[in-house]
Amino acid sequence: ANQDILWTLALFTGKRPKRPVKTPLLRQWCAEEAGIPQWLFEECYYVVGDLAETIALLLPGKQQESDYTLTDWVHFMQWLVHQKEEVKVNSVKAAWRCFDYQELFVFTKLMTGGYRIGVSQRLMVRALSHVTQLPTTELMHQLIGQWWQ
């Protein structure tokens, strides 16, 4: 749980894992997994306008349970960076089967690094300071660098 809190802070402060898969591959794999032609995926993507949302809408949803935590999924993405394409495709498709719509959306946003939380880092640090009773300057100093690795 503490690791998940650290990863949440990292993600909320703009520190993201390296993108493990290029988006054209995610588009292709989603079409395959959804059982639709690539042109239909592209039309859906054009209408929806957001890759993560398109993928979440097109995939069938949770087919198996997973007790992976946020930390486990971040480590999965870090591991995936160094894998060959055949391992990546099988691993991503297996991961997709573990998620419902909302989880698919968030997972894909994490995979692509294309999310914005709509809250400034300064505001997030002020809220964290309020909850922890630690000075904002101390928290900002602790958040500098790549402390999550």
Side-chain angles (χ1 to χ4, degrees):
N2 285 340
Q3 286 284 24
D4 286 347
I5 293 169
L6 289 175
W7 273 111
T8 301
L9 284 174
L11 296 168
F12 279 14
T13 57
K15 298 173 182 356
R16 301 174 179 142
K18 185 177 179 183
R19 184 182 299 185
V21 178
K22 294 179 179 170
T23 56
L25 289 175
L26 290 175
R27 293 156 72 149
Q28 175 188 335
W29 299 344
C30 177
E32 293 168 2
E33 191 70 5
I36 61 173
Q38 191 67 41
W39 69 265
L40 184 54
F41 175 89
E42 297 303 328
E43 288 296 317
C44 293
Y45 180 37
Y46 175 77
V47 170
V48 173
D50 181 271
L51 179 61
E53 187 173 0
T54 304
I55 289 172
L57 288 167
L58 288 174
L59 290 176
K62 188 177 280 193
Q63 300 169 10
Q64 62 192 48
E65 292 298 319
S66 170
D67 59 355
Y68 278 18
T69 64
L70 174 61
T71 300
D72 295 331
W73 287 116
V74 170
H75 289 162
F76 166 80
M77 289 180 213
Q78 290 173 326
W79 167 81
L80 206 57
V81 168
H82 306 289
Q83 303 307 309
K84 295 181 179 181
E85 188 174 322
E86 67 185 52
V87 173
K88 288 182 180 189
V89 66
N90 293 328
S91 299
V92 169
K93 286 181 177 183
W96 279 341
R97 294 181 196 117
C98 296
F99 302 124
D100 62 23
Y101 167 79
Q102 291 176 338
E103 294 163 333
L104 277 165
F105 179 77
V106 171
F107 178 77
T108 306
K109 285 291 189 183
L110 290 174
M111 289 280 291
T112 63
Y115 62 94
R116 293 173 196 82
I117 57 169
V119 175
S120 72
Q121 182 173 345
R122 171 179 238 127
L123 184 59
M124 194 267 314
V125 170
R126 279 194 1 223
L128 188 59
S129 171
H130 178 73
V131 170
T132 62
Q133 301 299 309
L134 294 172
T136 56
T137 53
E138 183 180 326
L139 284 170
M140 284 299 287
H141 179 73
Q142 291 178 2
L143 293 173
I144 294 172
Q146 294 186 351
W147 49 267
W148 66 91
Q149 294 183 339

